[in-house]
Amino acid sequence: MPKITLVEFNGADHTIDAETGKSLMLNAIDNGIPGIDADCGGACACGTCHVFLEPQWLEALGDSNPLEDAMLSMRPDREAASRLSCQIEVTEAMDGMVVRLPEFQM
């Protein structure tokens, strides 16, 4: 199981043993990580599982798909490192990944 660290906006960090094959969003919810609302349950229809990735992980995960990009475009805090965690399938290659959470989900 890869270890992934999710950092809340206030700086509190949570390192989880993530289950491969599941989305990063589901892994966060299953581990009780605050700051991931996931209102649509992972259907890429709301943008409430927004996260910020570090540049090296953006390259490794590839670009967002058009639907994810449309959801992200509605976020005023979108950055080049923004992704929706429901669209990121966890793999062993993500061991050590650090993910920052936004101040709020919308």
Side-chain angles (χ1 to χ4, degrees):
M1 290 186 150
K3 291 197 179 299
I4 297 175
T5 300
L6 296 102
V7 182
E8 294 179 62
F9 187 78
N10 67 9
D13 64 77
H14 310 270
T15 300
I16 63 171
D17 290 318
E19 186 178 332
T20 59
K22 288 174 63 174
S23 70
L24 179 58
M25 179 208 76
L26 283 175
N27 273 286
I29 290 170
D30 289 350
N31 284 278
I33 306 302
I36 300 284
D37 294 344
D39 290 342
C40 73
C44 196
C46 69
T48 61
C49 65
H50 181 218
V51 297
F52 303 106
L53 301 177
E54 297 194 356
Q56 68 270 27
W57 295 107
L58 276 175
E59 293 174 21
L61 297 176
D63 295 330
S64 57
N65 64 52
L67 182 56
E68 179 182 3
D69 193 49
M71 291 294 104
L72 286 168
S73 71
M74 295 187 276
R75 296 215 40 123
D77 58 348
R78 181 182 188 175
E79 298 178 359
S82 289
R83 290 292 304 267
L84 296 181
S85 59
C86 70
Q87 297 301 297
I88 298 171
E89 183 179 328
V90 172
T91 67
E92 288 293 338
M94 293 176 190
D95 189 44
M97 184 167 73
V98 176
V99 178
R100 292 181 298 114
L101 303 175
E103 183 174 8
F104 56 89
Q105 297 288 354
M106 42 187 316

